[in-house]
Amino acid sequence: MSPRHLILLALLPALAATAAETPERQRPVGAAQALNVTHTLRQIPEACARLEGRFTGDAAQPYALNVVRTSEQCQPRARFVDYDKAQPSEAQGWKLNDVIRVPSAACPAQQAVVRVWRLPVEQKQELDGQGQSRIYLEEAKKQAAAGQIAKIPMFAAQLAVEGAACR
């Protein structure tokens, strides 16, 4: 078999997974990334978060994924939670929001796949007489003391490395 056929065989499971997934956001496969170069995968403004990744070259952990806060001044309207603790599934109301695929420049048969899950929450915003949505501190404190804190949307990201490892 030629090297081209081996690469295609290595990518078949990833192609089959791609066909079965239907995320809310559709995107093409990303540009190939070099080893030890940090790159932004996605911004999630409502959670004040940015997903950053990096191919490590380490066989045990070939890709590192980090969630970085975008700004100290940013006021999140959603939370980013740990995937392993949340265990998102469609049965729990989570939606597959995005599938981000990033090939390795050093090893074309290998790619990082980040699945972003979103737990939507129905948020009814009441507008005041000026047409603004406002939160008043004393009212918010009373609601919190009574255990009536409004639920907010959540996000979680799952990392997988697909394809054959290179030597």
Side-chain angles (χ1 to χ4, degrees):
M1 258 188 202
S2 72
R4 179 183 289 171
H5 287 101
L6 290 175
I7 290 173
L8 289 174
L9 283 175
L11 291 176
L12 277 178
L15 293 173
T18 303
E21 296 175 322
T22 53
E24 294 175 315
R25 300 180 74 179
Q26 300 295 320
R27 69 172 65 226
V29 174
Q33 298 293 321
L35 287 178
N36 295 314
V37 175
T38 301
H39 48 274
T40 298
L41 296 167
R42 177 171 169 195
Q43 300 260 5
I44 303 176
E46 53 267 45
C48 299
R50 178 178 64 244
L51 299 178
E52 292 182 343
R54 175 177 59 84
F55 282 99
T56 64
D58 179 14
Q61 184 182 5
Y63 194 80
L65 175 68
N66 293 313
V67 179
V68 179
R69 185 168 172 100
T70 55
S71 168
E72 290 300 319
Q73 289 78 31
C74 183
Q75 298 296 315
R77 299 178 312 278
R79 266 189 17 221
F80 206 95
V81 297
D82 183 76
Y83 177 84
D84 292 330
K85 290 179 183 175
Q87 291 294 310
S89 71
E90 290 182 358
Q92 298 171 335
W94 289 81
K95 297 186 182 295
L96 181 60
N97 180 253
D98 200 356
V99 177
I100 305 163
R101 296 180 181 280
V102 182
S104 169
C107 181
Q110 191 174 61
Q111 66 178 341
V113 180
V114 178
R115 289 174 178 83
V116 179
W117 291 83
R118 179 179 70 88
L119 181 62
V121 172
E122 181 73 29
Q123 292 180 317
K124 183 176 71 173
Q125 292 188 351
E126 295 179 22
L127 304 180
D128 65 7
Q130 296 177 338
Q132 300 291 319
S133 174
R134 301 180 196 270
I135 298 173
Y136 296 96
L137 182 59
E138 290 304 316
E139 288 178 31
K141 284 182 179 179
K142 288 177 186 173
Q143 288 176 344
Q148 298 173 339
I149 298 175
K151 292 183 179 182
I152 62 172
M154 290 191 280
F155 288 86
Q158 174 189 26
L159 169 65
V161 178
E162 298 177 353
C166 296
R167 295 177 189 200

